[in-house]
Amino acid sequence: MIEVVASMARGSVFLAGELMECLVTFTNPISHLSTSASSEMLAWASAQIHCQFHASENRVALPAQGNKQDVQAESETVLIPSRGERGQCVLDTPPKILFCDLRLDPGESKTYSYSEVVPIDGPPSFRGQAVKYVYKLTIGCQRVNSPIKLLRVPFRVLVLQGMPEPPFPQDEEVCPSNPFLEEEEVSRRDSRPLERALDMLMVTTSRRYPHMFNITNMRGKVAKFCIFKTVYRLGEDIIGTFNFSEGDIPCLQYSVSLQSEEEIQQQYQRRPGQTPSVTGHGRHLESCLHTAFSHFSLPIPLNVTPGFSRDIGKSLKWRLHFEFVTAREPMEPPTVLQNQSEVTVWAGAEHVDVDTFIGHWKHVSSYS
């Protein structure tokens, strides 16, 4: 028996275009159940990254792929990382050989380093109602005269839209460096891709400019809505304000929901006129009768996927969903006399004729 352990050096979340490093350890353990232990011989081991695509048969109609066999040409490795996986392999990197003809004595371990740049042209990791994109690092090894064994390590990929190609500078020699701090320089170069991506992300999401919108229905103006920016990072709060003092129609209650919308283009839809799949990620509900100003704050979860679009007709967009409950007739606010010594209790109306209307604001963009 051979134990294989894979450990990623910097967690399991990567940006497209970033270098992924993994340490793979092969061990021949000594079992306390056996009276004698023998050496183990491994013929080879290799590793590669692949992305599996899976579409819901009820919502997506994919074009025919033809007859694909689970074999490879003689000139390629016998390792097929997607063997036995559901869906289609839409992206894979060239396999890298970790070793050939490895002999492990009882209790002996060998560790090998695997590194690969996460492809920049791939989709982000995503688990939706219509499609799924799942990234895995597959490590395959084979004992002499034994079948191939696979170890799959899932990881998450975030795609930063707008990143130039190549994503990170190649002319490292023109950058200032300190020849007396070799280790620090190497570490700085390795972290530069991530730092540059984070700098770009901070610049893009830090731009603030008030966007004003009038909220109206068929009876008149309800409120004025203000949001301060349209591009957000994962984990950031979306903050908006309402000004009901400028409205002509009394608003009794409002709610704001953060939603993601999965849309499949018409040529890939299973049924004509298929509606997009909508997923809610948070809701703010508030009563606002006789309220002049109000605000909401909706956090963007860290485990969601930023908006993206793929060539199969799949797109993920983010939006704010609004619901307003308004009164059909004017409602007089309670009157409070000046210098009143007694406590006044105001009782609301028992019956109010109301209208309910909804709206969407689809200009919210989420970035990693």
Side-chain angles (χ1 to χ4, degrees), residues 264-281:
I264 305 296
Q265 292 185 7
Q266 185 175 359
Q267 62 268 32
Y268 297 101
Q269 293 180 1
R270 178 64 66 180
R271 299 178 301 276
Q274 185 172 294
T275 59
S277 302
V278 177
T279 304
H281 301 277

Side-chain angles (χ1 to χ4, degrees), residues 225-228 232 238-242 254 294-298:
F225 170 64
C226 175
I227 195 167
F228 300 98
Y232 296 85
I238 301 177
I239 299 176
T241 63
F242 293 97
Y254 75 87
S294 182
H295 76 282
F296 69 89
S297 177
L298 289 173

Side-chain angles (χ1 to χ4, degrees), residues 33-45:
L33 300 178
S34 61
T35 57
S36 62
S38 60
S39 299
E40 293 283 356
M41 191 71 181
L42 294 179
W44 58 267

Side-chain angles (χ1 to χ4, degrees), residues 188-207:
R188 187 176 65 85
R189 290 186 180 182
D190 292 340
S191 62
R192 182 172 299 155
L194 182 60
E195 291 179 356
R196 186 184 176 199
L198 293 177
D199 290 342
M200 174 184 170
L201 184 64
M202 290 297 295
V203 171
T204 304
T205 59
S206 61
R207 297 168 183 160

Side-chain angles (χ1 to χ4, degrees), residues 168-235:
F168 311 118
Q170 304 297 326
D171 53 343
E172 301 288 350
E173 65 277 4
V174 302
C175 301
S177 61
N178 188 340
F180 302 102
L181 298 175
E182 181 178 356
E183 295 183 359
E184 180 180 340
E185 175 66 15
V186 172
S187 176
R188 187 176 65 85
R189 290 186 180 182
D190 292 340
S191 62
R192 182 172 299 155
L194 182 60
E195 291 179 356
R196 186 184 176 199
L198 293 177
D199 290 342
M200 174 184 170
L201 184 64
M202 290 297 295
V203 171
T204 304
T205 59
S206 61
R207 297 168 183 160
R208 294 178 177 269
Y209 181 79
H211 296 75
M212 300 288 186
F213 303 90
N214 290 323
I215 301 174
T216 61
N217 61 7
M218 62 181 64
R219 299 180 182 274
K221 183 177 179 180
V222 178
K224 177 177 286 188
F225 170 64
C226 175
I227 195 167
F228 300 98
K229 62 178 185 176
T230 60
V231 181
Y232 296 85
R233 302 188 304 273
L234 299 186

Side-chain angles (χ1 to χ4, degrees), residues 137-187:
L137 169 63
T138 298
I139 302 166
C141 64
Q142 185 177 24
R143 296 170 61 186
V144 178
N145 300 324
S146 299
I148 300 174
K149 298 296 183 180
L150 301 179
L151 172 64
R152 294 188 174 99
V153 183
F155 62 96
R156 184 183 178 195
V157 174
L158 299 174
V159 176
L160 187 59
Q161 300 292 338
M163 180 66 71
E165 296 186 19
F168 311 118
Q170 304 297 326
D171 53 343
E172 301 288 350
E173 65 277 4
V174 302
C175 301
S177 61
N178 188 340
F180 302 102
L181 298 175
E182 181 178 356
E183 295 183 359
E184 180 180 340
E185 175 66 15
V186 172
S187 176

